[in-house]
């Protein structure tokens, strides 16, 4: 046989595109030619593959060898084509049994000695392989645990080319083993050195954080320096609810593409908490680059993105967050097409109300009105409108610091959060939306119906507190979460009132000196 | 040249920079009018100038250069088209109140009207950065004075100045803004609305020539015009080094009555006022008492001391009582009222919806 074909996969943003790797070895001048819209690193694969094949004990005949990667309109990047190219050549020259590799997909990078090294993006490739119904997915041994996160897929992990050839020559029947369905996922409780019990006082802020986490609402903390805004933010991971298997897989996929997984425990089991510094660029936050890669928003998807000192971020960078915050997806448009990355984040932000941090304490604040206005002007009203919960983090009082009354632990708060999340999931069992912050207009009509008295109050609040359509809906969603925390089916007055206290800042009054 | 009116020469002479007002007056008194000054300069008859004591060679050079380069009449006509009036010290219209003092401007540029001579005037001045307390009381006094027919003079700045002038206009009174920049420059820009309103209900005036940018050094000087135009000067809120204290000092030199608004002794922004009171300034207790001192009758709709007749439930009453014109935080109120958090939030929202309080900054509340 002089022609062979094996499957591989190309990554395009978060998307996986199946690629056919074809090899043809025929008579003619002894050249080695690769085609198929290849990037520089894929072209280099030729040298690696020939050397690796040679070092694995095979002899390449002096014939005309042509490799084609199709479809030809998808740019092939990365080193994961080394293995499928080597396999297709070996089949074409008759060294391997093509029948046993029929309908198999292979990814992996080759060393010159024939060893196979791990590559990025295995989980999304494995998931796609299952959809495509491939017979077996051949992956580097280093990536095998990651590939095995996909249930019901036949997987073979290999160390080297010789290893694979040995397995093919000795065994019979199908190669690889099927990953069985897991009974239950290993519950991994994050061990943390911090706990909400470390924070003395600040009951109102802790409560706001609990509500925010329970409904996946964005949280903005405002206050003077030393109030503990960053301390509170850093403890939010300790009360984040556990994840479902699907959520875990979704998050792991993004980390897989970014190449940020550990080999031994590839599954991300705790919700991400990403803190971003003010020097962050648009690309690092949203993702991008010539070949778009996931940014911090995607890496924080399903968890928390924390922006400390919000006003110090360049305004254009913050404004870029507006669309992903609303749609929960990042779109990156390039001439080759649009890439989509998940961005289902809970944004936690902290800032001072003015440059010195003490406004509106007139005795302490040393800023001029212009300075305060300028500082607050760094955050636009549309951005503020996207913060579901705004809360003041006051200076800690001595009585609180010195008080030795026991503070509530993260575990206790987390217990309530889990309960509230469970209620939300039960409510939306059939729909895709899971958390209150993600409710659509139609779902809100169903789940956030107000009684007569409540409706009347909101009508007054709408005018008096100059709410707009967006802030009104945010208040309703937050009220829904508070009701869930209380275990109530119906949103009551007390829930709405608390949600109104948390409503986003209205610039008209903010800093109106 | 034949058509050029006398006033056009006067405009030119008033706008020569940098020549002090004092020297301008001296020159004009010597030569009688701006036209003669111009003609003599134009015809290089310097000997007339060298005779004048106090005039340096440099001053003469400046004048000569200006006379030879500036096109007479053009700027004046442009200003007339834009509704700017030119009021030099020797015309009838020049405020009588200013004539009494030394060092008053050579000329004023006016948009709108000048304060009426026979109506009482009061200057309300204070910090740009003021507390809601200072703002609220500035509004109250401005309103009551305006209702009693008093014209309110101020500097059109942010904070106390602007609040008082807006309140005076809203009460149907007249108010006058003295600017530290050219009359055609609106500074601060946020006060554009006030700038136009003042021209309808009073006026804006400045001693600076048209187009002068708002430079820091011009502002202390304009305070002497504010105090000069006022019969009484009210200082609402002033820190230790506030510009309002300059106005008070100048007013004192001019022999005006000064009143200061007391605040909490702990408030940094009331320190200047307290110092004025210590030095013997009048104390602002209520508009009635002030008007009594000014021998005026007021029409009082006073809400300063209303012992809230509002019908509130007991918790609302307690929370409302704790909130004043200095912002209180949610945490502060929690500690003060000892109410459970949920109950306090409920009460705050309810008071907010009823319009008794408002949120100043996040979770900081003041009375409306």
């Amino acid at each position: 046989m002089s022609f062979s074909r094996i499957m591989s996969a190309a990554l395009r943003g978060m998307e996986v595109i199946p690629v056919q790797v074809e090899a043809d070895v025929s008579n003619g001048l002894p050249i080695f030619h690769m085609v198929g819209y290849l990037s520089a690193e894929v072209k280099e694969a030729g040298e690696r593959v020939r050397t690796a094949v040679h070092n694995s004990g095979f002899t390449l005949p002096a014939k005309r060898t042509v490799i084609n990667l199709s479809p030809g309109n998808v740019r092939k990047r990365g080193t994961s084509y080394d293995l499928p190219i080597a396999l297709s050549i070996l089949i074409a020259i008759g060294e391997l049994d093509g029948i046993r590799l029929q309908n198999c997909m292979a990814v992996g990078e080759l060393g010159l000695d024939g060893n196979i090294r791990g590559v990025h993006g295995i989980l999304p490739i494995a998931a796609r392989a299952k959809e495509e119904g491939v017979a077996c997915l051949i992956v580097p041994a280093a990536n095998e645990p990651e590939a095995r996160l996909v249930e019901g897929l036949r997987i073979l992990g290999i160390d080297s080319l010789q290893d694979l050839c040995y397995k093919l020559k000795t065994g019979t029947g199908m190669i690889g083993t099927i990953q069985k369905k897991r009974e239950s996922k290993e519950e991994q409780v994050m061990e943390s050195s911090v706990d909400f019990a470390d924070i003395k006082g600040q009951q109102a802020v802790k409560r706001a954080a609990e509500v925010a986490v329970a409904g996946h609402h964005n949280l903005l903390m405002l206050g003077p320096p030393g109030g503990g805004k960053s301390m509170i933010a850093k403890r939010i991971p300790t009360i984040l609810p556990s994840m479902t298997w699907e959520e875990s897989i979704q998050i792991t996929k993004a980390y897989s593409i970014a190449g940020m997984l550990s080999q031994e425990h590839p599954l991300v089991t705790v919700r991400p908490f990403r803190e971003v510094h003010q020097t962050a660029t648009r690309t690092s936050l949203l993702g991008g680059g010539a070949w778009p890669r996931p940014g911090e928003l995607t890496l924080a998807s399903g968890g928390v993105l924390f922006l400390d000192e919000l006003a110090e971020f360049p305004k254009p960078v913050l404004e870029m967050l507006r669309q992903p915050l609303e749609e929960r997806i990042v779109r990156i448009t390039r001439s080759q097409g649009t890439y989509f990355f998940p961005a289902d984040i809970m944004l936690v932000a902290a800032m001072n109300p003015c440059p010195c941090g003490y406004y509106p304490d007139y005795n302490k604040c040393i800023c001029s009105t212009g300075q305060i206005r300028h500082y607050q002007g760094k955050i636009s009203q549309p951005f503020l409108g996207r913060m579901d919960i705004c809360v003041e983090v006051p200076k800690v009082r001595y009585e609180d610091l010195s008080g030795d009354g026991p503070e509530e632990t993260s575990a206790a708060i987390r217990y309530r959060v889990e309960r509230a999340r469970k209620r939300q999931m039960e409510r939306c069992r059939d729909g895709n939306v899971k958390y209150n912050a993600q409710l659509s207009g139609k779902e809100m009509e169903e789940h956030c119906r107000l009684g007569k008295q409540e409706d009347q109050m909101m009508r007054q609040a709408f005018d008096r507190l100059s709410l707009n359509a967006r802030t009104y809906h945010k208040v309703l969603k937050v009220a829904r979460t508070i009701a869930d925390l209380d275990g109530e089916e119906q949103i009551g007055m007390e829930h709405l009132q608390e949600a109104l206290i948390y409503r986003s800042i209205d610039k008209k009054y903010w800093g109106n000196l | 040249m034949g058509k050029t009116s006398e006033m056009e020469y006067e405009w030119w002479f008033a706008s020569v920079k940098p020549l002090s007002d004092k020297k301008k007056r001296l020159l004009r008194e010597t030569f009688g009018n701006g036209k003669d000054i111009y003609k003599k300069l134009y015809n290089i008859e310097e000997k007339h100038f060298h005779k004048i004591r106090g005039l340096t060679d440099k001053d003469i050079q400046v004048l000569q250069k200006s006379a030879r380069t500036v096109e007479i009449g053009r700027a004046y006509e442009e200003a007339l088209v834009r509704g700017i009036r030119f009021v030099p010290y020797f015309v009838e219209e020049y405020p009588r109140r200013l004539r009494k003092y030394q060092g008053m401007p050579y000329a004023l540029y006016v948009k709108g009207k000048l304060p009426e001579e026979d109506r009482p005037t009061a200057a309300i001045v204070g910090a740009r950065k003021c507390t809601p307390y200072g703002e609220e009381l500035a509004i109250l006094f401005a309103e009551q004075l305006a209702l009693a027919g008093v014209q309110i003079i101020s500097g059109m700045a942010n904070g106390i100045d602007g609040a008082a002038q807006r309140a005076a206009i809203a009460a149907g009174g007249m108010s006058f803004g003295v600017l530290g920049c050219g009359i055609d420059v609106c500074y601060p820009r946020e006060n554009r609305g006030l700038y136009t309103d003042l021209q309808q209900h009073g006026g804006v005036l400045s001693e600076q020539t048209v187009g002068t940018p708002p430079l820091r050094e011009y502002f202390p000087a304009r305070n002497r015009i504010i105090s000069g135009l006022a019969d009484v000067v009210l200082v609402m809120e002033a820190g230790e080094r506030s510009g309002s204290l300059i106005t008070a000092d100048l007013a004192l030199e001019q022999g005006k009555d000064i009143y200061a608004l007391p605040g909490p002794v702990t408030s940094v922004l009331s320190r200047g006022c307290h110092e004025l009171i210590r030095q013997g300034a009048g104390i602002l207790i209520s508009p009635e008492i002030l008007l009594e001192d000014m021998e005026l009758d007021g029409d009082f709709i006073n809400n300063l001391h209303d012992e809230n007749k509002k019908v509130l439930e007991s918790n609302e009453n307690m929370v409302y009582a704790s909130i004043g014109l200095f912002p209180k935080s949610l945490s502060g109120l929690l500690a003060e009222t000892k109410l459970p958090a949920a109950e306090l939030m409920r009460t705050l929202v309810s008071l907010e919806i009823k319009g008794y309080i408002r949120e100043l900054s996040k979770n900081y509340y003041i009375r409306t």
Side-chain angles (χ1 to χ4, degrees):
Chain A
M1 193 209 249
S2 64
F3 171 79
S4 72
R5 178 187 288 155
I6 191 160
M7 265 200 281
S8 189
L11 285 171
R12 188 179 172 282
M14 292 285 289
E15 199 187 340
V16 177
I17 299 165
V19 168
Q20 302 288 339
V21 179
E22 298 164 330
D24 182 84
V25 180
S26 55
N27 291 333
L29 286 172
I31 56 160
F32 190 90
H33 201 62
M34 289 175 58
V35 294
Y37 201 20
L38 311 177
S39 70
E41 65 266 31
V42 181
K43 281 181 187 147
E44 287 163 359
E47 295 301 325
R48 273 197 302 275
V49 167
R50 276 188 292 171
T51 317
V53 166
H54 182 80
N55 286 342
S56 302
F58 303 103
T59 316
L60 286 175
K63 287 188 172 182
R64 177 186 162 86
T65 309
V66 179
I67 310 288
N68 177 35
L69 276 66
S70 81
N73 61 350
V74 177
R75 185 82 167 164
K76 319 308 181 296
R77 301 180 60 251
T79 51
S80 63
Y81 301 105
D82 294 5
L83 180 62
I85 291 170
L87 292 181
S88 63
I89 294 170
L90 289 175
I91 298 167
I93 61 175
E95 290 282 356
L96 289 180
D97 183 1
I99 310 235
R100 297 197 62 201
L101 286 171
Q102 210 161 32
N103 206 15
C104 283
M105 188 185 264
V107 282
E109 178 185 329
L110 279 177
L112 292 183
D113 51 359
N115 279 341
I116 294 168
R117 293 168 189 164
V119 291
H120 297 166
I122 288 292
L123 178 63
I125 290 173
R128 185 64 199 257
K130 193 185 167 197
E131 280 172 34
E132 292 286 313
V134 307
C136 178
L137 177 68
I138 303 168
V139 295
N143 294 130
E144 192 179 345
E146 188 184 331
R148 290 206 178 275
L149 294 174
V150 177
E151 291 158 1
L153 175 69
R154 192 175 278 275
I155 291 155
L156 177 65
I158 49 168
D159 284 326
S160 63
L161 265 184
Q162 290 106 316
D163 180 25
L164 176 64
C165 295
Y166 176 78
K167 278 181 176 142
L168 280 173
K169 277 175 185 156
T170 52
T172 52
M174 295 283 269
I175 50 165
T177 53
I178 290 185
Q179 179 57 48
K180 282 192 226 97
K181 204 163 168 56
R182 284 175 173 75
E183 271 83 63
S184 66
K185 69 169 181 131
E186 58 270 48
E187 185 77 31
Q188 193 179 334
V189 178
M190 199 189 62
E191 296 202 355
S192 177
S193 54
V194 294
D195 195 288
F196 261 96
D198 305 339
I199 297 168
K200 303 278 180 194
Q202 304 288 32
Q203 298 308 333
V205 193
K206 286 184 189 171
R207 165 74 178 173
E210 178 182 334
V211 175
V213 167
H216 209 63
H217 300 291
N218 299 328
L219 173 70
L220 172 63
M221 293 181 284
L222 268 168
K229 297 184 292 294
S230 310
M231 243 178 113
I232 288 163
K234 297 219 159 79
R235 279 156 184 76
I236 283 180
T238 63
I239 58 167
L240 288 173
S242 56
M243 288 188 289
T244 61
W245 177 258
E246 289 76 31
E247 282 176 306
S248 263
I249 290 289
Q250 284 311 317
I251 295 166
T252 308
K253 276 184 182 173
Y255 277 74
S256 174
I257 285 171
M260 291 168 68
L261 292 177
S262 92
Q263 282 186 0
E264 295 78 40
H265 304 289
L267 185 65
V268 178
T269 51
V270 292
R271 287 180 186 272
F273 179 85
R274 308 284 300 177
E275 186 177 349
V276 176
H277 189 252
Q278 300 116 38
T279 48
T281 60
R282 290 187 224 181
T283 317
S284 69
L285 271 178
L286 295 186
W291 299 98
R293 276 169 43 84
E296 288 293 338
L297 252 79
T298 304
L299 295 177
S301 190
V304 173
L305 180 72
F306 176 43
L307 306 181
D308 205 354
E309 303 298 350
L310 188 69
E312 304 302 329
F313 279 84
K315 200 170 178 184
V317 171
L318 292 184
E319 298 302 306
M320 286 290 152
L321 296 181
R322 274 159 55 175
Q323 178 259 336
L325 280 177
E326 202 67 7
E327 297 186 18
R328 306 198 168 264
I329 217 166
V330 179
R331 292 165 205 273
I332 294 172
T333 306
R334 292 282 181 272
S335 52
Q336 316 98 342
T338 304
Y339 298 75
F340 296 94
F341 291 102
D344 191 8
I345 57 161
M346 170 183 159
L347 182 65
V348 176
M351 69 178 283
N352 300 132
C354 70
C356 80
Y358 289 105
Y359 177 79
D361 184 340
Y362 293 96
N363 284 337
K364 276 195 173 165
C365 179
I366 52 162
C367 312
S368 72
T369 48
Q371 281 173 312
I372 297 173
R373 202 167 290 159
H374 175 75
Y375 193 79
Q376 297 182 339
K378 292 180 183 180
I379 319 290
S380 71
Q381 184 67 57
F383 188 88
L384 282 174
R386 281 164 174 81
M387 304 306 293
D388 314 49
I389 297 183
C390 291
V391 70
E392 170 233 4
V393 183
K395 219 180 70 172
V396 188
R397 293 176 311 148
Y398 183 74
E399 300 90 87
D400 289 329
L401 271 188
S402 56
D404 42 21
E407 296 286 340
E408 211 175 15
T409 61
S410 291
I413 301 172
R414 192 166 186 254
Y415 174 72
R416 290 196 298 268
V417 169
E418 292 278 15
R419 236 178 17 183
R421 280 253 163 142
K422 217 164 141 201
R423 292 187 78 88
Q424 295 168 46
M425 278 156 78
E426 278 165 10
R427 196 164 43 225
C428 306
R429 217 173 303 150
D430 26 283
N432 283 326
V433 173
K434 289 213 182 79
Y435 305 121
N436 289 337
Q438 303 160 347
L439 290 176
S440 70
K442 221 179 128 199
E443 284 158 328
M444 281 184 63
E445 269 173 34
E446 195 187 330
H447 304 310
C448 306
R449 208 172 293 135
L450 297 180
K452 207 172 168 197
Q453 202 190 352
E454 287 81 9
D455 185 62
Q456 201 185 352
M457 187 191 68
M458 283 308 284
R459 190 179 297 270
Q460 287 177 336
F462 192 88
D463 294 333
R464 275 287 187 182
L465 310 179
S466 53
L467 302 179
N468 58 32
R470 192 199 303 279
T471 46
Y472 171 77
H473 285 129
K474 296 259 181 205
V475 167
L476 279 191
K477 287 177 189 175
V478 173
R480 178 68 261 167
T481 305
I482 298 169
D484 286 334
L485 278 168
D486 275 5
E488 297 281 346
E489 208 41 65
Q490 181 67 31
I491 298 177
M493 286 292 259
E494 63 275 26
H495 308 133
L496 284 172
Q497 280 156 341
E498 189 177 346
L500 280 170
I501 287 282
Y502 296 144
R503 75 181 185 274
S504 75
I505 302 163
D506 187 337
K507 266 248 172 108
K508 203 164 87 197
Y509 298 110
W510 193 30
N512 184 8
L513 301 163
Chain B
M1 270 294 204
K3 280 197 286 174
T4 317
S5 75
E6 296 278 327
M7 222 43 182
E8 289 171 10
Y9 289 103
E10 299 296 352
W11 171 286
W12 160 75
F13 184 58
S15 65
V16 175
K17 275 183 188 177
L19 193 68
S20 71
D21 282 0
K22 210 172 151 189
K23 285 173 182 166
K24 280 182 191 165
R25 276 176 198 252
L26 186 69
L27 275 170
R28 196 174 180 284
E29 250 115 69
T30 316
F31 296 104
N33 59 53
K35 192 172 176 177
D36 278 1
I37 300 172
Y38 180 81
K39 288 272 145 70
K40 290 206 165 66
L41 283 168
Y42 203 79
N43 300 331
I44 324 178
E45 297 175 30
E46 281 130 316
K47 55 179 191 294
H48 298 286
F49 293 87
H50 287 301
K51 278 189 278 185
I52 298 168
R53 272 190 27 205
L55 208 61
T56 63
D57 289 351
K58 208 178 151 206
D59 291 334
I60 298 164
Q61 273 170 15
V62 166
L63 279 163
Q64 265 177 338
K65 194 177 165 212
S66 177
R68 292 196 190 129
T69 51
V70 175
E71 189 188 337
I72 299 289
R74 187 165 164 179
Y76 181 69
E77 265 159 32
E78 269 175 20
L80 283 186
V81 170
R82 287 157 76 188
I84 297 169
R85 282 186 303 138
F86 174 57
V87 185
Y89 78 100
F90 46 85
V91 301
E92 176 65 22
E93 230 189 319
Y94 192 82
R96 253 182 291 158
R97 287 184 174 93
L98 297 184
R99 285 174 199 257
K100 287 186 274 184
Y101 310 109
Q102 290 283 308
M104 281 299 150
Y106 179 82
L108 291 174
Y109 301 85
V110 185
K111 269 182 134 180
K113 290 188 279 283
L114 279 165
E116 284 175 31
E117 303 287 3
D118 305 320
R119 257 179 191 280
T121 54
I124 299 185
V125 295
R128 269 171 299 168
K129 182 182 162 195
C130 58
T131 66
Y133 164 77
E135 191 179 318
E136 202 70 22
L137 280 134
I139 290 170
L140 177 74
F141 276 93
E143 208 172 65
Q144 295 298 326
L145 287 171
L147 285 174
V150 179
Q151 309 175 92
I152 305 299
I153 317 279
S154 197
M156 212 183 87
N158 282 327
I160 299 286
D161 286 18
Q165 296 195 289
R166 282 195 188 91
I169 292 171
M174 303 249 277
S175 186
F176 300 86
V178 184
L179 308 186
C181 50
I183 191 71
D184 55 336
V185 182
C186 177
Y187 178 85
R189 270 219 303 263
E190 305 87 283
N191 284 349
R192 248 166 321 192
L194 178 60
Y195 177 73
T196 33
D197 283 351
L198 279 172
Q199 292 169 39
Q200 303 285 325
H201 308 276
V204 281
L205 53 129
S206 171
E207 63 169 319
Q208 301 297 336
T209 51
V210 172
T212 307
L215 297 185
R216 181 179 289 236
E217 55 264 36
Y218 299 147
F219 283 80
R222 64 101 191 245
N223 291 345
R224 77 185 195 286
I225 309 176
I226 296 180
S227 61
L229 284 174
D231 299 335
V232 293
V233 175
L234 318 184
V235 184
M236 302 312 286
E237 229 175 359
E240 272 168 307
R241 294 187 309 165
S242 169
S244 312
L245 298 183
I246 302 177
T247 314
D249 277 347
L250 292 164
L252 206 62
E253 281 169 29
Q254 293 164 351
K256 308 273 163 140
D257 286 336
I258 300 166
Y259 290 86
L261 176 76
V265 284
T266 48
S267 173
V268 177
L269 285 171
S270 282
R271 279 191 196 161
C273 288
H274 294 153
E275 185 56 29
L276 285 174
I277 294 169
R278 202 179 68 82
Q279 290 168 4
I283 184 161
L284 287 175
I285 295 169
S286 74
E288 293 101 310
I289 299 174
L290 175 69
L291 286 168
E292 221 167 84
D293 285 359
M294 292 173 75
E295 293 167 4
L296 290 167
D297 296 324
D299 173 17
F300 299 107
I301 325 158
N302 196 349
N303 52 10
L304 185 59
H305 298 296
D306 79 331
E307 293 306 333
N308 55 76
K309 295 156 203 133
K310 298 149 185 169
V311 191
L312 298 173
E313 46 171 291
S314 67
N315 272 345
E316 287 181 354
N317 240 328
M318 173 164 75
V319 174
Y320 183 69
S322 313
I323 297 173
L325 288 171
F326 287 91
K328 278 267 174 68
S329 71
L330 186 62
S331 53
L333 288 167
L334 265 177
E336 199 170 314
T337 60
K338 305 265 188 296
L339 285 174
E343 178 60 22
L344 178 65
M345 289 183 186
R346 193 193 69 70
T347 315
L348 284 172
V349 168
S350 156
L351 282 170
E352 236 184 317
I353 289 176
K354 286 178 185 163
Y356 291 137
I357 61 171
R358 70 179 174 95
E359 194 178 37
L360 180 75
S361 179
K362 192 62 216 172
N363 295 157
Y364 274 89
Y365 301 91
I366 58 164
R367 284 191 188 191
T368 48

